[in-house]
Amino acid sequence: MNVNTGELVRLQEQERKRLVCGEFEPIPAELRGAAEKKLAGSDRAFVSQSSGGKLSKWARQERKKKRKSAQESRRRNRILP
């Protein structure tokens, strides 16, 4: 799932290795059922970023983690006069 856009994609094994390191994050095992339900047999679906669903909450937490780590990295790399 791309946590920034809400795009949920079913990946084959060879695609998974190529795309997971980029913009797509693997869905945790406890949310696989919700992801399968959202996909409903198709290969691509979009998850609302503002709904209160399980996938939306997980994506929000992941965005928050990325934002916090980016802030920490900028803080560490700041050049002091």
Side-chain angles (χ1 to χ4, degrees):
M1 178 176 182
N2 185 336
V3 296
N4 295 322
T5 63
E7 184 179 10
L8 185 61
V9 178
R10 184 186 319 270
L11 298 175
Q12 300 301 326
E13 200 60 40
Q14 62 272 15
E15 294 172 324
R16 186 172 298 155
K17 293 175 184 170
R18 182 173 54 89
L19 291 176
V20 167
C21 62
E23 57 197 40
F24 288 94
E25 299 286 331
I27 299 289
E30 63 270 7
L31 295 177
R32 296 264 164 89
E36 289 295 327
K37 186 176 178 181
K38 184 67 178 178
L39 285 170
S42 67
D43 289 335
R44 175 172 272 156
F46 282 90
V47 177
S48 172
Q49 292 182 343
S50 61
S51 72
K54 294 176 183 177
L55 292 171
S56 297
K57 288 179 183 177
W58 173 77
R60 188 176 309 120
Q61 290 172 349
E62 291 298 310
R63 286 192 305 271
K64 186 175 181 178
K65 285 180 192 176
K66 285 183 180 181
R67 191 170 52 245
K68 292 277 187 181
S69 67
Q71 287 173 346
E72 178 64 22
S73 178
R74 284 193 300 267
R75 185 191 65 76
R76 273 187 270 122
N77 293 328
R78 190 176 301 139
I79 299 172
L80 298 175

